[in-house]
Amino acid sequence: MCGDETRAKISRRSAIAIGMAGAGALLSPAALAQTVSDPGSAAAPTSPEEALQLLKEGNARYVANAPVNTDHSLERAKRSAGQRPFAAVVACSDSRVAPEIIFDQGLGDVFVVRVAGNFINEDGLASLEFGAAVLGVQVIVVLGHTACGAVDATITSVEDRKLPPGHLPSLVEAIRPAVYDVMQQDPADLLSAAIAQNAKLNAEKASASEPVLAGLHDKGKLMTVAGVYDIATGIVEFL
């Protein structure tokens, strides 16, 4: 029995490794079936454009206080068999930003990568590659938000020419390019401009990431967009 279980685990790991190898190639249907089970939720979108539209419609429901995904106990047993998210969201760790709620999606619909300042590092890229190549994500949203403390701290660091203590400099280093970009334009609202630019730069980074994400973009199987979530109104503005 133990030998059978070990061989099954090795088989699943091999399927993932083989599928992730190559220039953005997706796993074959047979290999994909070994790593992802259909939890039996709503029909998946048929294109990245349709996937994005589902997020837009969900946000509209959230803003109107008319969500449809309110009973998270529904199909809990089916979800335990696997996941098939249609979208990935790179979100800030801010406790007021909850992608599943903001876009009114059910559990298992959104693959979320979170870090303060919603930037994409190597770990984030690897997570997004897994979401797109293995789980079948069709759209990636890099989601900034109003009053972002990480971006604000980066602006302060740049203006004061002083790094914050501890491990916070790693956040500053990641967000600083967006701050430098908008400072040259002398915007009326530096924080808002930097938040938007940070989302844009990281969306561009994801879409250009070779070989996996860029390959899926080239084939029309994946779309990456930037957006900013307004905490006060609930509205997501896609940039």
Side-chain angles (χ1 to χ4, degrees), residues 12-234:
R12 288 193 291 271
R13 291 171 183 167
S14 298
I16 295 175
I18 292 171
M20 293 296 287
L26 286 169
L27 291 174
S28 68
L32 187 60
Q34 294 183 33
T35 59
V36 185
S37 299
D38 187 349
S41 57
T46 59
S47 69
E49 292 77 14
E50 185 178 336
L52 179 59
Q53 183 60 30
L54 289 179
L55 294 180
K56 290 180 177 180
E57 292 172 357
N59 180 243
R61 292 194 300 271
Y62 169 67
V63 172
N65 197 26
V68 297
N69 290 286
T70 56
D71 187 349
H72 299 298
S73 67
L74 288 174
E75 300 188 342
R76 182 178 294 155
K78 291 183 179 180
R79 285 197 300 270
S80 69
Q83 59 173 319
R84 191 66 63 83
F86 69 87
V89 177
V90 180
C92 183
S93 298
D94 192 296
S95 61
R96 299 165 293 179
V97 181
E100 291 88 349
I101 296 176
I102 291 169
F103 292 111
D104 188 30
Q105 299 301 317
L107 296 178
D109 291 334
V110 183
F111 187 75
V112 181
V113 178
R114 298 188 71 163
V115 64
N118 50 271
F119 61 86
I120 302 174
N121 56 16
E122 290 299 307
D123 295 334
L125 282 176
S127 297
L128 292 174
E129 288 175 353
F130 182 82
V134 179
L135 301 179
V137 160
Q138 297 184 61
V139 62
I140 297 172
V141 178
V142 180
L143 188 66
H145 68 90
T146 55
C148 180
V151 177
D152 193 29
T154 301
I155 292 173
T156 299
S157 176
V158 170
E159 291 179 335
D160 294 346
R161 298 184 179 182
K162 182 180 179 180
L163 289 173
H167 292 83
L168 290 172
S170 64
L171 297 180
V172 170
E173 290 292 335
I175 301 170
R176 190 155 45 190
V179 175
Y180 284 152
D181 282 353
V182 297
M183 274 185 165
Q184 297 176 18
Q185 303 165 14
D186 192 25
D189 188 336
L190 178 58
L191 177 58
S192 294
I195 288 168
Q197 181 66 1
N198 183 52
K200 290 178 183 178
L201 289 180
N202 282 280
E204 292 171 1
K205 181 176 182 178
S207 62
S209 177
E210 297 283 357
V212 179
L213 299 182
L216 291 170
H217 277 85
D218 290 344
K219 295 177 181 178
K221 297 180 179 295
L222 182 65
M223 171 192 297
T224 299
V225 299
V228 174
Y229 169 61
D230 190 316
I231 293 176
T233 66

